Amino acid sequence: MNNNEILYLYDAKMTNPNGDPDEENRPRMDYERDINLVSDLRLKRYVRDYLLDKGYDLFVRKMDEKSVTAEGRVKQMKDFSEEAILNELIDVRLFGATMPVKGDNKTFIGPVQFNWGYSLNKVELLESSITSHFSSDEKAQQGTIGKDYRVKYSLIAFSGVVSGKRAKKTKLTESDLELLDESMKHAIPNLATRSKIGQYPRLYLRVAYKDSETILGDLRDYIRLEEKVENIRDIKEVSLDITDLVSLLNKNKSKIDKIYYFIDERLEIKAADTVGKLSEVLNGFELVEVK
């Protein structure tokens, strides 16, 4: 297993990508810049939920729709050997885990890690009052009134790394990474809830290197969002300029094995002032499309 780097974009329209419980569940924001934020844990939860729905056993999961502590999950496991943990639990192979055991905690550092995601555009919040169908008590004549917070439009970008050296320690396989690719494409739209509906993956790149040393850096630094209108509200109102990213990849072509990808056909890609398909822009690389 060698190093990989990931670039992942999805958008959110009239929804709450990641509520902050310390802020009345408002979408997480950098208010100084009007930038929407999404934690890496939120993204990992999408992947875990998708894998669980596909029938894979996980360490971090709910049982019968109830949250389970790490201690409780350990007690449920029949075999707590390192071999059994890594063979049976794909989320530990991907993201790692700390498992509390009396006198000897088991810690696995996950090879797959993400930075916090942030929006490429400035984001406006929508605040509205909502009324529940059920009253707060039997004597009340109307339901409980609360607040509902959503972003009007946010195009969110994540950067991630797969460590080849750590992958060997957690027994991460190429098949596991292919499942991660699949999850990144399908998890968010397939697991929509009331607060999360309206989110769609737009671009995914997993650059697989030929060694376990190469790291080019945060790939978000090499892309630029061009807004066709003020106050964008739809993916069709933007263009993504990846000129610098293409240049970076071309300069390091000898270090790159393959590029795994998917792109939404509604996302317009530009490179060197030319609008084209991603497969055309990345001509010369071995491309593997994620299905």
Side-chain angles (χ1 to χ4, degrees):
M1 177 72 66
N2 296 321
N3 284 357
N4 293 245
E5 288 188 280
I6 293 171
L7 175 67
Y8 181 52
L9 274 63
Y10 71 93
D11 62 358
K13 182 191 296 186
M14 298 300 291
T15 187
N16 187 345
N18 188 197
D20 186 345
D22 294 328
E23 290 285 338
E24 297 181 295
N25 207 43
R26 289 182 176 88
R28 296 181 188 273
M29 292 287 295
D30 175 351
Y31 288 105
E32 293 181 359
R33 300 270 180 111
D34 293 326
I35 299 299
N36 183 209
L37 304 174
V38 178
S39 75
D40 60 316
L41 297 181
R42 173 65 269 186
L43 182 59
K44 289 178 180 178
R45 194 192 318 170
Y46 282 128
V47 174
R48 284 190 171 100
D49 288 349
Y50 180 81
L51 294 174
L52 184 63
D53 196 50
K54 296 279 285 186
Y56 291 90
D57 196 12
L58 307 176
F59 179 69
V60 179
R61 58 173 295 182
K62 290 184 177 181
M63 301 293 288
D64 299 323
E65 299 302 318
K66 296 181 180 179
S67 298
V68 181
T69 63
E71 292 85 353
R73 189 71 181 94
V74 167
K75 291 179 181 178
Q76 295 169 347
M77 298 175 63
K78 297 179 181 179
D79 187 347
F80 199 66
S81 67
E82 181 172 316
E83 181 179 5
I85 291 169
L86 296 179
N87 285 341
E88 296 175 13
L89 304 176
I90 187 173
D91 64 330
V92 178
R93 296 198 299 273
L94 287 166
F95 305 131
T98 297
M99 302 180 176
V101 182
K102 291 182 179 179
D104 183 26
N105 286 0
K106 289 184 180 293
T107 299
F108 302 94
I109 300 176
V112 180
Q113 299 296 337
F114 295 99
N115 290 329
W116 272 45
Y118 57 75
S119 63
L120 300 177
N121 62 300
K122 290 188 175 182
V123 171
E124 298 178 57
L125 297 185
L126 177 67
E127 177 182 336
S128 63
S129 298
I130 56 173
T131 305
S132 69
H133 289 294
F134 296 98
S135 59
S136 56
D137 58 62
E138 292 183 358
K139 295 181 180 180
Q141 298 298 311
Q142 62 182 14
T144 303
I145 298 176
K147 291 292 185 180
D148 189 30
Y149 303 96
R150 296 173 181 246
V151 298
K152 293 183 178 180
Y153 185 81
S154 177
L155 182 58
I156 302 158
F158 273 91
S159 175
V161 173
V162 182
S163 167
K165 293 178 180 179
R166 290 179 182 172
K168 292 179 181 178
K169 294 182 179 180
T170 66
K171 298 184 178 181
L172 186 72
T173 67
E174 291 293 340
S175 295
D176 292 335
L177 285 182
E178 290 172 5
L179 277 170
L180 175 66
D181 298 339
E182 179 185 325
S183 301
M184 301 292 271
K185 181 175 183 179
H186 298 291
I188 289 178
N190 285 346
L191 298 171
T193 61
R194 178 183 177 275
S195 67
K196 298 293 182 286
I197 192 169
Q199 300 185 130
Y200 297 97
R202 301 301 184 182
L203 175 68
Y204 176 77
L205 295 178
R206 174 166 64 86
V207 183
Y209 300 121
K210 295 180 179 179
D211 58 56
S212 58
E213 302 294 333
T214 300
I215 292 291
L216 300 183
D218 192 326
L219 299 183
R220 294 173 296 184
D221 294 340
Y222 299 90
I223 61 176
R224 183 167 58 89
L225 188 68
E226 295 184 356
E227 302 181 21
K228 300 178 183 179
V229 300
E230 292 185 9
N231 303 318
I232 59 173
R233 295 290 183 267
D234 192 86
I235 194 66
K236 294 181 180 180
E237 297 175 347
V238 302
S239 179
L240 189 69
D241 190 325
I242 62 171
T243 302
D244 292 341
L245 178 60
V246 173
S247 177
L248 176 73
L249 297 177
N250 279 323
K251 288 179 181 177
N252 293 275
K253 184 177 291 186
S254 63
K255 302 176 183 178
I256 296 172
D257 181 25
K258 299 176 183 177
I259 299 178
Y260 298 81
Y261 79 98
F262 67 76
I263 182 169
D264 188 287
E265 62 182 10
R266 288 164 288 185
L267 175 60
E268 183 178 277
I269 293 289
K270 294 178 63 176
D273 296 322
T274 300
V275 178
K277 295 182 179 179
L278 189 65
S279 57
E280 297 172 347
V281 171
L282 294 177
N283 183 38
F285 293 93
E286 183 175 350
L287 303 178
V288 181
E289 187 174 5
V290 177
K291 302 299 183 181

